[in-house]
Amino acid sequence: MPKSVASTRSYRSYASDYDPHNDHSDDEVDEVEELAIRNAVINAQHSRTAPVSPVDTRTHGSSRTSDLDLRSRLPERPLVMDETTGLLGHMDGHNSGYRTLPASVPATPRFPLSRQHSQLNTSRLRNHSRKGSIGLRLARALGTDANLTESADLEQSKPSIFADDRIWYDQFTSTDWVHDSIADAFRVKELRARKDFKGRAYALFDSAQGWIVVAIIGVVTAGFAYVIDITEAAIFDLKTGYCSTKWYHNKRKCCSGVAMCDDWNRWSSLIHSEGNAKLWSNFAAYIAWVVVLALLGCLVTLQTKTVVSSAISLSTLDENLGADKADTSKDDTEGRRTSVSPTRRFNEAAQRPPVIYYPAAGSGVAEVKVILSGFVLHGYLGVTTLMAKTIGLILSVASGLSIGKEGPYVHIATCIGNITCRMFKKYRTNDGKRREVLSASAAAGVAVAFGAPISGLLFSLEEVSYYFPPKVLFRTFFCCIAAALSLRGLNPYGTGKIVLFQVRYLIDWKVFELIVFALLGVLGGLTGALFIKASRFWAKTFRKIGVIKKYPLVEVLLVALVTGLVSFWNRYTRLPVAELLFELAAPCDAFTKDGSGLCPTRERITDVIWYLCAAFVIKSALTVVTFGIKVPAGIYVPSMVIGGLLGRIVGHVIQLLTLKYPNFGLFAACPKDGGPESCVVPGVYALVAAGATMCGVTRLSVTLAVILFELTGSLEHVLPFSLGVLIAKWTADAVEPLSIYDLLTDMNSYPYLDSKARPTFTTELGDITRPPSKNRIVDVTTAPLVPAKQLRSKLEYLHMAGELDGGLPILRDGVLVGLIPAPDLEYALDRLEKEDDALCLMSPQERWQGPGRGTDPHDHNIDVDGAAEQDLDAAEQQPLHGGGSADPTDFTPFIDPAPVALDICSPMDLVFECFVKLGLRYICVLKEGRYAGLVHKKRFVHYIKEVREKEE
């Protein structure tokens, strides 16, 4: 059990170390807090997720073999990849939290000490004995990290000193982009420093790894898409019948493309040979298959259930993942959020039930977007999630629910990318580099979903990627091409095409149709925005019911039952969404006078319009209630189907008008004696409205226009598609500012800072900076040695405040001299065998200035106590990566001596840019050069949300 989660020392010990009259100290501890901590322990013990911190797997001891090679302290353990494997899982068998060489900080490099430094550090040992002396311990601590190397060895030792091998980020924390960038820069520098043949070969292989990784991802993603497509298609048709010759064939293969054949039998044929009872038997069989397949898909999805202790989840989730509404009782009279002490927040959170989420549920695009922004969600990109998502997606789509598989393809492809990265150390040990590969993976998902590699690239750039350097652009494109070519070679549909609903238009559009295309853009954007509002309303009403919230299977059962009851009677609600979209967008070759086909003669156009209106209402309602249930489900194609039905209705109306009033001025360019589609092609209207509605839901713009172009291959229709998408985005933004993914991110309280939507600031950094508290700083004014017990209490305070990835500023005389990140402090404390009595060195400047500040570090004539000098000479003989003993109380390797700091008067726009462009976790605040507070990223995200709410 991590000490940071439920330490045996309560907040009582922490309060005793500080002035109780401090205005910013926490509340007194009582029995309620003790109960809260016990509840947190129970919750965390029952959590089925990756450890909240690497403490669980660290080796505790009183010594370390080398500060430059911390991995040598760790036992060799076999690695088992499962759902608990972290986002930065490892393959070398070290089941640890951090492997840092020597500091996990994005800061100015700290140079190792030479002999003259070690002699200087012994100047204060003169009047002390050698054994048990605090001064000697200090000297050893100051010399340990550098291993007392000779000055001549300084340049040679730099690469190993600065190369960082951290491989773990805690659950619900943020990636340190600056640190990862610096670590990779030193890795590349060390690699290119080798000029021999072997070194050049390694450098060449290193540069080729990116191409190898994305190629593997593209091919494997295509393989998964192929399996999903052919399996889902075979199971989908089981709802209506079975193939008597080959049971594993779907209707299309069984009948060789013919609409009806003798080899395809209805389920009623097993019971009835003739009569009206056949209809009701088929109806019952249809409902049974819908319910069974949906429940099976839900059961598979529920296997990825992840439980997180509520005391830990408060680090980012103010509410739970069930779209709970914030408690307005915590607002003051002016509606502002009142400040609650960390201990009180911890008490309230620990007494709530654990947070539960299902990584395989939904489309996963919102979570992928958040993960690519640097947020860590353990389990979302693991092997178990990949398999459960794949199997669950096949079952849920085959059930006939109003969901799509295109969105989950993005999640599946990203899982494949994450797992593939574990094969290469370059990406396995660096989270920033890994996210470059994950961006390419997400693009491959769209490429196989729509058969549109260019659209996949644009999707990654426009929607999901947070950090997209130019070099990633071409690799992403290569990944999309590899995925599309592989899928074409596999030929899942047996037609030689990548997608099922690829269409071609031979008739060009007329000028007067631009008015209708603009109207479709307005209608599509409005429909998408209303869908988002309806989804929010449904989540906050129906899903708040106790039974529905506690038992997700009940909701799936009810939705599947309703879907089976209402969709059986309409042909266009029975069809799979991809096939339905194809029918809606396809042009007509022949026209019929009967049936419900989409190629009617003039006399039957009105009947078809009413038939499509019924399908539009049913499909819209089913999509609203289905979105968000605990099955793998996408929203891309269902939203396009809703828009396609709407566009087809409008298209047939315009078609009827051109046939009834051929002499009207606007229709002058239409042929007078042509067929129903000689002037107006309703399929074009359907595709324009489909793109407009999807834009209203997702707010994709350029990507959508290119998707529609790649589906049709028609250059003439790029303008109508683009016009509809542009107007739809303007309309949707006016009605509902949030996209569906923004809504999910907001409802789940992910700390996502949208770089594309900067609010208008009227404040300065000081307006959101809380005054410094003794609980949140480390003061080394009187002495650089700080009790470990006091540091543990401060760390617990940060965790109770929800800042698992926060930090403690180090002050001397009120001046900021460094900062130690909370994860590194936790790691350092957990190495101590006797924490209660330990004193820890917390002053990085001791390296350059010595314990006596102001002493010249280059003075070679310092007289040193003989006994102490012997000990230091013995320490000098330790190898750079040797196995010598060292004092673990030296915390200086974990201190950032140059944290990013801004003046308290800095404009908020500058703060926004620092958090977005640099990917910082926190910013220190200075006032006239002295420390004035610290702003955590989570605090800034909450402030951004408040500003946007006021703007609305």
Side-chain angles (χ1 to χ4, degrees):
M1 185 68 199
K3 293 182 181 180
S4 62
V5 179
S7 174
T8 54
R9 293 174 304 280
S10 68
Y11 182 71
R12 191 187 310 276
S13 62
Y14 173 78
S16 64
D17 293 334
Y18 295 94
D19 182 8
H21 301 292
N22 190 326
D23 293 339
H24 305 292
S25 296
D26 211 342
D27 299 334
E28 293 294 331
V29 181
D30 52 19
E31 295 180 358
V32 176
E33 179 181 339
E34 295 178 357
L35 174 61
I37 294 178
R38 285 198 298 270
N39 290 339
V41 173
I42 296 174
N43 289 345
Q45 287 176 343
H46 289 83
S47 295
R48 294 181 56 193
T49 182
V52 294
S53 82
V55 187
D56 284 343
T57 53
R58 292 177 184 153
T59 304
H60 297 262
S62 59
S63 64
R64 54 187 175 189
T65 57
S66 170
D67 280 332
L68 297 181
D69 193 3
L70 297 181
R71 75 182 68 184
S72 60
R73 296 180 288 103
L74 302 169
E76 294 290 338
R77 299 180 183 178
L79 179 67
V80 179
M81 286 294 178
D82 56 15
E83 189 63 33
T84 63
T85 304
L87 179 63
L88 297 182
H90 33 86
M91 295 289 293
D92 55 4
H94 300 292
N95 197 6
S96 68
Y98 289 83
R99 296 204 312 265
T100 309
L101 306 177
S104 57
V105 294
T108 304
R110 297 183 292 279
F111 295 94
L113 299 180
S114 62
R115 184 187 301 273
Q116 62 203 34
H117 291 83
S118 61
Q119 290 174 346
L120 171 66
N121 293 336
T122 60
S123 61
R124 297 180 65 184
L125 304 178
R126 189 168 309 210
N127 299 321
H128 299 273
S129 63
R130 289 182 297 171
K131 186 175 181 180
S133 167
I134 296 179
L136 183 57
R137 291 177 60 196
L138 175 60
R140 287 176 176 173
L142 290 173
T144 298
D145 183 56
N147 283 282
L148 305 175
T149 56
E150 293 289 337
S151 298
D153 298 330
L154 177 60
E155 294 300 323
Q156 183 178 1
S157 64
K158 280 182 183 179
S160 62
I161 291 174
F162 302 134
D164 195 320
D165 247 355
R166 180 195 302 192
I167 61 169
W168 185 286
Y169 282 97
D170 282 338
Q171 175 77 303
F172 295 160
T173 59
S174 299
T175 300
D176 197 332
W177 293 93
V178 177
H179 162 268
D180 288 343
S181 177
I182 292 175
D184 186 68
F186 280 114
R187 182 192 64 82
V188 174
K189 181 180 178 182
E190 181 181 8
L191 190 64
R192 294 180 178 176
R194 300 181 57 178
K195 301 301 182 181
D196 57 329
F197 175 77
K198 192 175 182 180
R200 292 179 183 274
Y202 279 143
L204 181 62
F205 176 71
D206 181 79
S207 61
Q209 282 185 26
W211 301 101
I212 297 173
V213 169
V214 295
I216 294 174
I217 292 170
V219 174
V220 176
T221 300
F224 270 80
Y226 172 77
V227 172
I228 293 172
D229 287 339
I230 61 173
T231 309
E232 173 267 322
I235 300 177
F236 188 94
D237 287 339
L238 288 177
K239 298 193 302 295
T240 58
Y242 63 96
C243 185
S244 58
T245 55
K246 296 181 180 179
W247 62 270
Y248 52 88
H249 277 182
N250 60 2
K251 185 177 181 180
R252 181 183 296 270
K253 288 186 177 181
C254 183
C255 297
S256 301
V258 181
M260 297 296 295
C261 66
D262 295 335
D263 292 336
W264 185 257
N265 296 328
R266 297 279 184 174
W267 292 108
S268 58
S269 63
L270 298 176
I271 304 175
H272 308 283
S273 58
E274 59 183 11
N276 295 331
K278 292 177 62 177
L279 177 63
W280 297 104
S281 298
N282 292 328
F283 180 49
Y286 182 87
I287 295 176
W289 276 107
V290 170
V291 172
V292 169
L293 291 175
L295 291 180
L296 287 176
C298 181
L299 289 174
V300 172
T301 303
L302 295 182
Q303 300 309 306
T304 62
K305 179 180 179 180
T306 304
V307 184
V308 181
S309 168
S310 55
I312 304 306
S313 65
L314 68 88
S315 63
T316 58
L317 306 178
D318 290 334
E319 314 299 333
N320 61 37
L321 292 171
D324 283 346
K325 188 177 180 180
D327 186 3
T328 56
S329 63
K330 297 179 181 179
D331 296 347
D332 60 15
T333 55
E334 298 180 3
R336 296 173 300 187
R337 192 75 168 178
T338 57
S339 178
V340 182
S341 66
T343 302
R344 186 173 299 171
R345 292 185 64 211
F346 184 82
N347 293 344
E348 295 174 356
Q351 295 182 69
R352 292 198 302 262
V355 169
I356 299 174
Y357 62 88
Y358 304 90
S363 69
V365 176
E367 285 73 20
V368 168
K369 185 177 179 180
V370 171
I371 289 173
L372 289 181
S373 74
F375 190 54
V376 177
L377 288 171
H378 289 307
Y380 258 101
L381 302 179
V383 177
T384 303
T385 300
L386 173 63
M387 301 311 298
K389 188 94 174 184
T390 302
I391 299 173
L393 181 63
I394 293 172
L395 295 171
S396 60
V397 174
S399 68
L401 296 175
S402 186
I403 57 178
K405 56 190 176 185
E406 286 69 23
Y409 275 165
V410 176
H411 189 190
I412 290 173
T414 311
C415 290
I416 294 171
N418 179 63
I419 296 168
T420 306
C421 285
R422 296 171 183 167
M423 301 165 55
F424 300 87
K425 184 180 179 181
K426 174 182 177 180
Y427 299 103
R428 183 176 71 244
T429 59
N430 191 297
D431 200 44
K433 298 292 293 181
R434 174 181 294 226
R435 275 165 168 75
E436 296 177 6
V437 176
L438 297 185
S439 295
S441 304
V446 174
V448 298
F450 294 99
I454 300 176
S455 302
L457 171 64
L458 293 174
F459 171 81
S460 179
L461 179 61
E462 182 180 358
E463 179 65 20
V464 297
S465 294
Y466 196 82
Y467 174 66
F468 204 81
K471 65 178 180 179
V472 180
L473 182 69
F474 196 44
R475 287 182 184 175
T476 303
F477 185 48
F478 177 72
C479 184
C480 295
I481 293 295
L485 288 177
S486 301
L487 188 62
R488 184 180 179 87
L490 293 171
N491 194 15
Y493 303 112
T495 59
K497 298 179 180 180
I498 303 177
V499 291
L500 184 61
F501 52 91
Q502 193 170 17
V503 294
R504 291 286 186 271
Y505 298 120
L506 302 178
I507 300 176
D508 198 4
W509 53 276
K510 309 299 186 297
V511 176
F512 78 89
E513 292 181 288
L514 286 176
I515 302 174
V516 187
F517 295 148
L519 175 63
L520 289 175
V522 174
L523 294 177
L526 184 62
T527 302
L530 293 178
F531 172 82
I532 295 173
K533 290 183 178 295
S535 297
R536 181 194 290 115
F537 173 79
W538 187 258
K540 292 186 175 182
T541 54
F542 181 77
R543 292 201 180 105
K544 293 284 288 183
I545 300 174
V547 176
I548 301 299
K549 189 175 181 179
K550 187 175 182 181
Y551 303 103
L553 201 64
V554 175
E555 182 182 11
V556 175
L557 173 63
L558 294 177
V559 171
L561 187 61
V562 172
T563 300
L565 289 172
V566 301
S567 20
F568 178 80
W569 308 103
N570 190 298
R571 178 176 180 271
Y572 299 119
T573 57
R574 282 201 314 268
L575 288 175
V577 287
E579 188 174 338
L580 173 58
L581 184 59
F582 169 71
E583 285 203 20
L584 292 173
C588 295
D589 296 328
F591 303 92
T592 60
K593 296 181 179 180
D594 53 3
S596 58
L598 294 179
C599 296
T601 58
R602 174 179 174 178
E603 294 76 16
R604 295 211 66 258
I605 291 179
T606 305
D607 297 335
V608 171
I609 291 175
W610 287 112
Y611 197 78
L612 289 173
C613 287
F616 171 76
V617 173
I618 294 173
K619 209 68 180 177
S620 301
L622 289 178
T623 305
V624 169
V625 300
T626 305
F627 182 76
I629 63 175
K630 296 302 182 287
V631 296
I635 194 59
Y636 288 159
V637 174
S639 64
M640 293 182 74
V641 164
I642 294 174
L645 289 167
L646 178 63
R648 192 80 189 196
I649 293 170
V650 175
H652 281 300
V653 170
I654 301 299
Q655 185 184 58
L656 184 61
L657 290 176
T658 59
L659 294 175
K660 282 189 174 183
Y661 308 101
N663 297 322
F664 187 67
L666 290 177
F667 308 146
C670 295
K672 305 301 181 183
D673 54 353
E677 286 196 0
S678 61
C679 181
V680 173
V681 181
V684 175
Y685 292 73
L687 212 51
V688 170
T693 305
M694 183 177 169
C695 176
V697 173
T698 64
R699 305 304 156 85
L700 292 172
S701 54
V702 181
T703 303
L704 259 176
V706 177
I707 285 177
L708 297 177
F709 162 68
E710 291 188 272
L711 288 178
T712 60
S714 175
L715 286 173
E716 292 80 6
H717 291 85
V718 171
L719 181 59
F721 297 152
S722 303
L723 181 64
V725 168
L726 283 174
I727 296 178
K729 191 173 190 314
W730 292 333
T731 305
D733 287 340
V735 178
E736 172 56 61
L738 298 179
S739 70
I740 191 66
Y741 300 124
D742 295 334
L743 175 66
L744 293 175
T745 301
D746 184 65
M747 291 168 66
N748 292 337
S749 297
Y750 294 131
Y752 179 76
L753 192 58
D754 191 356
S755 59
K756 303 169 187 174
R758 178 192 297 188
T760 303
F761 296 107
T762 57
T763 56
E764 296 178 343
L765 178 57
D767 295 326
I768 63 171
T769 304
R770 295 170 179 168
S773 166
K774 290 184 178 180
N775 304 333
R776 293 177 175 267
I777 63 172
V778 177
D779 196 339
V780 293
T781 302
T782 56
L785 297 175
V786 180
K789 182 178 180 180
Q790 188 180 107
L791 293 175
R792 175 66 72 177
S793 300
K794 294 177 183 291
L795 180 65
E796 289 177 354
Y797 188 91
L798 284 183
H799 285 190
M800 288 187 292
E803 299 177 8
L804 293 177
D805 53 353
L808 290 176
I810 302 172
L811 308 184
R812 177 182 285 129
D813 295 323
V815 177
L816 181 69
V817 296
L819 182 144
I820 183 166
D824 298 304
L825 175 60
E826 182 184 357
Y827 175 61
L829 289 173
D830 290 338
R831 297 182 305 127
L832 302 177
E833 188 176 63
K834 296 182 180 180
E835 187 175 302
D836 292 342
D837 302 325
L839 294 175
C840 307
L841 179 64
M842 293 293 294
S843 180
Q845 279 72 16
E846 299 296 333
R847 291 177 175 274
W848 292 279
Q849 297 179 0
R853 283 173 286 162
T855 308
D856 184 5
H858 301 289
D859 186 359
H860 299 273
N861 300 318
I862 299 177
D863 186 22
V864 184
D865 180 80
E869 185 176 6
Q870 290 180 1
D871 286 339
L872 292 174
D873 288 339
E876 284 183 12
Q877 298 176 4
Q878 296 179 7
L880 189 62
H881 297 284
S885 175
D887 192 338
T889 58
D890 179 12
F891 284 11
T892 54
F894 309 104
I895 295 175
D896 177 2
V900 176
L902 295 177
D903 188 79
I904 198 170
C905 297
S906 299
M908 205 61 74
D909 294 277
L910 175 61
V911 180
F912 183 88
E913 291 295 330
C914 288
F915 275 117
V916 169
K917 299 295 177 60
L918 298 181
L920 301 177
R921 293 174 169 178
Y922 35 70
I923 292 178
C924 296
V925 184
L926 304 180
K927 182 178 182 181
E928 298 179 353
R930 300 176 68 85
Y931 179 75
L934 181 144
V935 176
H936 193 273
K937 180 181 179 181
K938 182 190 174 186
R939 167 76 174 166
F940 186 71
V941 172
H942 276 276
Y943 167 75
I944 294 294
K945 289 183 179 180
E946 292 175 0
V947 172
R948 288 174 179 166
E949 288 175 359
K950 291 180 181 178
E951 289 180 351
E952 295 174 4

